[in-house]
Amino acid sequence: MRLRHILTGASAAALMASAAHAERGADGQVNVLYYQAISIMTPYLSSGTKDIDGAALVLEPFARFDPDGHLVPYIAQEIPTLENGGISEDLKSITWKIKPDILWSDGTPVTAADAIFSWKYCTDPEGGCAQAPYYDDVTDVEAIDDKTVKVTFSVPKPYPYTAFVGAQSPIIQAKQFADCLGANAPSCTEANTMPIGTGPFRVTDFKANDVVTLEANPNYRDPAKPAFATLVLKGGGDAASAARAVLETGEFDYAWNAQVEPEILAQMAAAGKGEIISAFGTLLERLHVNQTDPAPALGEERSTVKHPHPFLTDPDVTKALSLAIDREILVETGYGEAGRPTCNLVPAPEYQNSPNNDWCLKQDLDQANKLLDDAGWAMGADGVRAKDGQRLSILYQTSVNSVRQAAQALIKQWWNEIGVEVELRQIDPAVFFGGDPGSPDTLQKFYADVEMYADNFEGTDAERYLGQWVCGEIPSPETAWQGGNTSRFCDPAYDAARAEMSTTTGDEDRAKMTIRLNDMIVNSAAIIPLIHRGRVSTKSKTLGGVEMNAFDSELWNVADWYRIK
Amino acid sequence: MLAYAVRRLLFAIPTLLVISFIIFLILDLAPSDPTANLPLTIPQDVRQQIRLSLGLGEPMHVRYLKWLYQFAVNEPMHALEQLTGHHFSATPRVRVLSWQTRSPVVDLILQRLPQTLWVVGLSYVVGILIAIPIGIVSAVRQYSWFDQIGTFVSMVGYSVPTFFTGLLMIMLFSVHLGWLPSIYDTNLRVTDVASFWAQVKQMIMPVMVLALFNAAQISRYMRASMLENLTQDYVRTARAKGMREWVVVMVHVLRNSLIPVVTVIALGVPQIFGGAIITEQIFRVNGLGQLLITGIQGADIPLVQTLTFLFAALIVLFNLIADLLYGMLDPRIRYD
Amino acid sequence: MLSAARAARQPLLSVSGLRMHFPIFKGLLRRQVGTVKAVDDVGFDIARGEVLGLVGESGCGKSTTGRAILRLYDITSGRIELEGEDIAPLSGAALRAVRPRMQMIFQDPQASLNPRMTVGSIIAEPLDEHLRPSRAERRARVFELMDAVGLARGFANRYPHEFSGGQRQRIGIARALALNPAFIVCDEPIAALDVSIQAQVVNLLEDLRAAFGLTYLFISHDLSMVRHLADRVAVMYLGKIVEIAPREALYRFPLHPYTEALISAVPEAGGRRRARIVLRGDVPSPLRPPSGCAFRTRCPKVFDRCHVETPPLTDLGRGRRAACHLVGRPPA
Ligand SMILES: Nc1ncnc2c1ncn2[C@@H]1O[C@H](COP(=O)(O)OP(=O)(O)O)[C@@H](O)[C@H]1O
Ligand SMILES: [Mg+2]
């Protein structure tokens, strides 16, 4: 009787909630906190996540990614494919159709000219556009008609969803930005801070690096949305206090990026006002295993392909090192909700996450020892294995960062247990990630045996990312130490397979290809994947409709947010 | 005195020029790359293009002179044009632009100034109002329990960092008691009693945290200065004259003791404009301190350069003001 | 109401058993580690119109005595009768009410004047506090006082630092005179001045004494100046009076060995010099005075008894008193 009573009450509440958000602006204000404050409302002049997310409230692309990594049409009517004729047979062009009724927030219609302008804006050499890579290989953007845009590439593009897709390359209004091309881009303060868009909100007040105030876009395509009349996007402070403002004091409805010690975050959540939400993109914390010899004695030639590594080119050694690591403990101590163990280089989206490499998920010291024994590495009297006078001694470097140092200490301990000597090294992040060819401490120079950092790729397509592992991408003095192949992995079979991928079309086949390439790398001696890192944010229990997304702006579906009454 | 002030101001110009150049030099030599914070996925050539679009391709002295011209000529001219509505030249003036926000640095500063003046300035005033009576009583009742407690409290107030007191207050008043907001709402407009009350509530914590810190410092100065004067013969004279103790302390001793304290207070004023980086950060008050820190984090050189230079100018200015005040308050000092 | 006759007989000031002890604190917890007996059982009378000189080495307690009498300290014990009224127990308003009758002229005229007040307001302040005169009255009185001490009226709006030392002392004197006091403590009023001006100020003090019928306690370490000015002289050593006598008697026949030593250093009126007695050693610390006679550590005539017994200040007749075991009461 009582249970039934409660149940009817709950369903009535749910009904009321859905009824309540059937009207635009009915739910009042929603307060969003980004501890890194918004500097500018266009992704083209800033590639800070905060600015991209902020701009996503107002500016929209043809299509966005949903939390599973699938494309969802926004300004476009549908996603162009080979099947529906949106992609040309030679893979050199893609044709987008704009939704017929879509309007800018000032009431004027969106046309093909706006897309053409956006392309011109970001590719102007003097504009300093931060998202220029999204328009790589685009030779032309033309209007088939008022509502149809054709993007032409210089080369066949099996994956053409780069330009005008995702939070980084939205369509801006040609009229508003007309005078802002090239060198004039930075001085268009009004347009850069209060852009006219097609998104659910429009800016009413912009205080740089502090707070952006937005109101529901009166011309938004869905007359019932957004449910909130105003949105306040406040900035400043630090991650912990941002999480507190949602979880403990309830002053805010949503706080971005709760990079807080897992334990503290859980404590805050215990207050009961909000919850921790997470989403996993493609960010991977990994160990790169140097395939070349970093010995200082080699001088100019250290860490170059001229000198292969004395022992780390053996996949069994790398496998043993990988098996010795307890990834669950690394997650528990350093990441909490923001991490999970993985053995893949491409851990997401789910449809291209290889199912073949679960062997590393469980720590197995016996197996690790056995692998090394079998490979002829005999345990020495000092507890360090050696073979032919070569000791298993590793220099392990990473950037200065408390979580990384904790992981370093744990991994050193595990490796010691299997007879590997480890020396740890920490480098200032500005230097380590700085890429300065003059510095010996960059991750590209890799003057160590093993190094740890995290990397990811934008969007969902891994082709470019996997392209970093070809022989030609190895950093060397000849390339001024540029190039993404820090492990110095070089396998002609891989290069061939990678070349094959650039002609593979269709989501399914490309996913298969991604898995194949992923498996080739993770089964080589060149990498030890550690943690699949996610984004963690916090939201109030009274905020509904939130779907955390790691492949697009976190605020990608803010039009669907509502107040739970 | 006027001649002295004018002379000092004239001397300040070369000083400030040198300072501005040194700031520029330091910022230029420091390893700060405006593209350093970009995700690793942004390729090097795009980074290079961004750097070029920010003017970083030019040699250092050209960049300095550009900044100087924009700041010292274009900004005042722009302000004048805004004021008078008259345009002196047809070409639009290039103002100092922030790299991060691409908006004029001076506009950003003007936007931030009111919050800083209100919160940090008020905390300074409150700090002074607390400090002076405490300093007086502590000195008059030297070594009494009041003085001992005062010494302890100011030691704590001075040595405990504001981020700690700030956090403590937030934990107490926002999290546990739920009385005060932990985040400063910069959009709040005071229009009626309710919004005024909301403004007061959100200012209490940042103001008090800083006021405590300021009070700790100033009350020590006040106490020391009072003690120094209390043993002077003229105090004895005043007592011998049969003046009431109140008059002796509050008129004779206080007036003399305030001279150095007023100087210290005047010298501290530039700090107000510097904002209180930490406190503004904790309570998310969008003041100048927060502006500076986000500028530094984002390697926003024009913003950091301009702000730092303005602080330097204020320091020079308030040094002069302190000297002039000293001259005005202390008849023994004359500037000719 | 006192009758005129009684008033004449009665001393203007009568001090007895005056003690001023300063506790000394040390260390973190500020424990009391001792007491400085800056003034220890001092007593004397000063008749109306008389000048009592108070001499002694620096640090012996002269200033403290002067200040204690004027109740600039809360004294440890003793009686201070000013015109028959004991002002020792007074405080607050009652004490302030008697302040106009007694004033002090300080050693350092610079330090004793509030640097942020003009000469006019320094002089007028006590008037405002005690008499509440009208503007015109106040102005008149300030000018009158400035005339009396020989300061040009035009100086009224100037600040003390603009004056020379002698002029500053004149300001200090004018200020002290403002309320028509009967009794003035002059605490080494000329010690800080140039020799050339010292005489001027002393002459001024003498003139004023005559003009206003003032009574002085004249503190000095300059014995010749005291001889010039004082009617009677008291000699202090380590917080106590060791000898007190009429001027001529004291200078001609000093009784106490300490007085003798002091006087031996002063050239005699005719320019003749006595055999100089040089005192050995330093003045003992007032924190730990010697047992018995305080002077015994330096006394050329010291003997056994001095170590154990403190000689009392004995009345030797004809207004002479001394504290020494060697000077007994003359046989009756
Ligand atoms: N406020 C005080 N606290 C402690 N000791 C004092 C204080 N004032 C004076 N004394 C001490 O009392 C003694 C007498 O001082 P003072 O009267 O100034 O000597 P004089 O005027 O004869 O040179 C000195 O030893 C001095 O250190
Ligand atoms: Mg003295």
Side-chain angles (χ1 to χ4, degrees), chain C residues 58-59 62-64 67 107 187-188 219:
Chain C
S58 176
K62 306 182 297 291
S63 298
T64 309
R67 290 176 194 154
Q107 170 172 0
D187 186 359
E188 313 218 28
I219 298 172

Side-chain angles (χ1 to χ4, degrees), chain A residues 178-202:
Chain A
D179 294 331
C180 306
L181 279 174
N184 288 333
S187 46
C188 281
T189 309
E190 167 85 12
N192 291 336
T193 57
M194 301 177 83
I196 292 169
T198 54
F201 289 94
R202 64 175 183 187

